Amino acid sequence: MLDISPRFVEGNEPLYLQLYRYFCTEIQGRRLVSGTRLPSVRALSGFLQVSKTTVESAYHQLLAEGYIESRERSGFYVVDMDWDGPMPSGKGQQLVEMACVQTTAPTPSPVPIQYDFHQARVDPDHFPFDRWRKYTNQCMQEENKHVLYYGDRQGEPQLREELARYLGRARGVQATPEQIVIGAGTQVMISLLGFLFGTRGQAVAMEEPGYHGVRAVFSHLGYDVRPIRLAEDGIDLEALGESGAKLVYITPSHQDPSGIVMPYAKRLKLLQWAKQAGSYIMEDDYDGEFRYHGKPIPSLQGLDTQGRVIYLGTFSKALLPSIRMSYMVLPHALLAIYQEKLADFDQSASRIHQETLALFMKNGDWERHIRKMRTLYRKKHGALLHSLQEQLGGYIQIKGQDAGLSVTVEVKSASTSQQLTQIAAASGIRVYPTAHKWIHPQDNGRVAFQFGFGGQTIEEIEAGIRLLKCAWEPYL
């Protein structure tokens, strides 16, 4: 018989810590040897009559301290302790064996993800499927055979006309259709700019932390990426000047991932720097349509009188990511260079999607959709902030609120962001740390995550944060 009852512990110490210490003792005493597979969370929680969260917390503490390892689609195993003697018989081994026979499942399956807080997910239930289908069908009528061929290398003229009008009204961007270039995603746009400026020995400044997807493109093209620290109001202009870079990529209307909105006065100083240094600014306005208090911040490009700003935007956040469509507005001086150097580059975005989107914009559906989604996301944004404060308020600091589709949350914990991510996943929650957005991570005693709210209902947001509190609380 197993020398341990389902209520195997005494005292006031939390159950998960008592279970954790029990396994520590068994592993250290070689009664659970290297390679021993532990029972599934469900099997052990059922055998001991404790919650699955208790077992998960114990396992993840063992995982964090290196006693066990997680093998994909297989479960948890005792790590190699350099022990090659015979397997001793002990309480730990009995617990493993008896708990394992409590379930008919031969192999524990990974916990399915119920709540996904990805920062770029959009609401799938409010996409205007009928209107989009209508315009696509209209494009695909037999009399429109031209859409079956290659289109304009800069993008469909009708879409560029609609986009120029919209950007002027909504974002204050100064653009003619001739200045606009359409492409399949922001990384494609950045690649084109990389080729335009030349890839040999060029230095480009980027916010630190900043968007890793763009950084990867510049690195692959051979650019010298120079990280520029952030001040409270955005990129540090003194450090930018000292960097010697003639190109800078920034997200001034909602800095990724900090959420800082660059104020008007600093925007003017940044433009002055570009004029004096003869530099170009790549302004990525990736989610500028969504601001929840006050009006959307006008673009930096709209303040530019010297032709030093390249404006970048995308339809991924406001419409749908799968359309893979972004755009840039080139200053006239760069447009001439683009047409000379990159005239042989074919259009990368679907012509059919471009024609569909042009009709969607021409008939007013785009701006109606933006207004509807802004109202919806404002409610979700408020629900996320309320849930975070209510459930985790004493352990977190929220940044980057009031705009975009995500907020950044700094967490007070001795665990690493990777460990907290794994702990959340074990409870069916997917969270996204920001560590990879730094070139030189700073150790300030906190780990940070971006919490997106676009792709979940308000009820899912609230339930997900409640469950996350249960999973993380032992580690905060």
Side-chain angles (χ1 to χ4, degrees):
M1 289 292 294
L2 182 68
D3 188 19
I4 186 171
S5 67
R7 287 293 178 182
F8 57 93
V9 287
E10 297 178 354
N12 297 322
E13 191 175 45
L15 288 176
Y16 89 92
L17 279 179
Q18 297 177 58
L19 182 57
Y20 150 77
R21 296 191 196 285
Y22 172 82
F23 275 114
C24 282
T25 301
E26 295 300 299
I27 294 172
Q28 292 170 357
R30 310 298 186 183
R31 290 179 290 277
L32 282 177
V33 298
S34 303
T36 300
R37 180 178 166 211
L38 300 189
S40 71
V41 171
R42 178 177 297 178
L44 190 55
S45 66
F47 177 73
L48 295 176
Q49 299 176 23
V50 297
S51 71
K52 287 193 290 185
T53 300
T54 295
V55 178
E56 287 169 353
S57 298
Y59 277 7
H60 281 286
Q61 188 63 34
L62 293 166
L63 187 69
E65 295 185 17
Y67 284 101
I68 62 175
E69 61 183 355
S70 176
R71 299 181 188 175
E72 188 174 1
R73 299 185 181 277
S74 183
F76 294 101
Y77 292 78
V78 177
V79 299
D80 185 2
M81 297 290 185
D82 296 326
W83 172 266
D84 56 4
M87 180 182 294
S89 176
K91 292 189 293 184
Q93 190 62 34
Q94 293 174 20
L95 176 61
V96 168
E97 293 171 354
M98 294 188 67
C100 284
V101 301
Q102 301 295 316
T103 177
T104 58
T107 303
S109 59
V111 176
I113 297 298
Q114 294 178 277
Y115 307 104
D116 190 336
F117 288 95
H118 193 282
Q119 61 270 25
R121 291 186 70 191
V122 299
D123 188 301
D125 297 323
H126 291 81
F127 179 74
F129 286 100
D130 291 340
R131 304 295 289 175
W132 189 262
R133 187 183 303 112
K134 172 187 173 182
Y135 297 131
T136 299
N137 290 339
Q138 188 173 328
C139 291
M140 295 303 293
Q141 296 299 316
E142 189 171 356
E143 61 267 24
N144 295 327
K145 294 178 182 178
H146 64 277
V147 300
L148 304 180
Y149 298 100
Y150 294 104
D152 192 298
R153 285 187 169 92
Q154 278 187 223
E156 293 306 293
Q158 185 179 0
L159 176 58
R160 288 189 280 132
E161 289 172 8
E162 295 298 332
L163 189 53
R165 282 194 284 268
Y166 167 73
L167 291 175
R169 288 194 306 271
R171 307 297 299 123
V173 173
Q174 308 170 65
T176 64
E178 293 73 28
Q179 290 175 267
I180 296 175
V181 179
I182 308 291
T186 299
Q187 288 177 305
V188 169
M189 297 288 93
I190 294 295
S191 297
L192 291 176
L193 289 174
F195 292 131
L196 185 150
F197 286 114
T199 58
R200 296 185 180 179
Q202 285 273 18
V204 59
M206 289 191 66
E207 298 158 320
E208 173 78 32
Y211 178 32
H212 63 290
V214 164
R215 186 172 70 225
V217 173
F218 281 126
S219 296
H220 284 300
L221 289 176
Y223 274 72
D224 176 13
V225 179
R226 299 181 181 177
I228 308 299
R229 63 182 177 267
L230 294 177
E232 291 185 359
D233 56 356
I235 194 167
D236 188 310
L237 294 182
E238 182 178 353
L240 177 60
E242 293 171 353
S243 73
K246 298 297 183 182
L247 299 170
V248 60
Y249 169 88
I250 59 170
T251 50
S253 292
H254 188 221
Q255 201 278 328
D256 180 27
S258 73
I260 294 171
V261 176
M262 185 181 290
Y264 175 77
K266 186 154 194 172
R267 292 180 182 226
L268 295 180
K269 291 179 182 178
L270 180 60
L271 290 171
Q272 184 65 22
W273 165 83
K275 176 184 176 181
Q276 293 176 347
S279 301
Y280 283 100
I281 301 166
M282 290 167 275
E283 175 189 13
D284 191 349
D285 195 18
Y286 64 99
D287 62 1
E289 289 87 1
F290 299 119
R291 184 166 175 80
Y292 308 117
H293 295 92
K295 295 182 179 180
I297 302 295
S299 68
L300 176 67
Q301 192 264 11
L303 302 173
D304 179 24
T305 60
Q306 303 295 318
R308 311 311 303 181
V309 178
I310 303 158
Y311 181 85
L312 295 146
T314 180
F315 291 99
S316 293
K317 306 298 186 296
L319 194 59
L320 68 168
S322 62
I323 197 173
R324 303 308 304 136
M325 199 180 301
S326 295
Y327 53 88
M328 60 183 174
V329 180
L330 293 173
H332 288 286
L334 291 183
L335 179 62
I337 299 173
Y338 173 88
Q339 292 171 339
E340 176 186 351
K341 282 190 172 185
L342 305 178
D344 293 331
F345 279 61
D346 283 324
Q347 174 55 235
S348 57
S350 162
R351 187 177 185 184
I352 295 171
H353 283 163
Q354 290 185 62
E355 295 274 10
T356 301
L357 182 55
L359 290 172
F360 192 76
M361 298 183 77
K362 183 177 181 179
N363 289 284
D365 292 283
W366 165 248
E367 293 193 56
R368 281 192 290 271
H369 180 66
I370 291 293
R371 289 193 295 270
K372 180 178 71 173
M373 299 311 292
R374 187 181 293 129
T375 299
L376 177 63
Y377 289 147
R378 181 184 292 114
K379 294 177 181 176
K380 292 187 177 188
H381 172 265
L384 176 63
L385 292 180
H386 177 77
S387 295
L388 286 169
Q389 290 287 11
E390 184 178 58
Q391 301 296 328
L392 297 166
Y395 306 107
I396 61 172
Q397 182 176 354
I398 300 174
K399 296 185 174 183
Q401 58 195 61
D402 295 337
L405 297 183
S406 68
V407 300
T408 297
V409 178
E410 290 187 345
V411 181
K412 302 173 186 176
S413 174
S415 300
T416 66
S417 60
Q418 183 179 9
Q419 289 167 344
L420 290 177
T421 300
Q422 292 174 342
I423 292 166
S427 293
I429 309 163
R430 187 165 288 152
V431 293
Y432 298 86
T434 64
H436 62 295
K437 298 194 174 186
W438 292 80
I439 295 179
H440 305 299
Q442 295 184 342
D443 184 13
N444 63 357
R446 293 184 180 181
V447 293
F449 296 83
Q450 271 185 290
F451 281 80
F453 50 84
Q456 299 187 93
T457 65
I458 289 177
E459 292 74 20
E460 288 171 336
I461 290 169
E462 293 171 344
I465 297 301
R466 283 197 301 270
L467 184 58
L468 185 64
K469 177 190 177 183
C470 295
W472 273 3
E473 196 165 32
Y475 308 96
L476 302 178

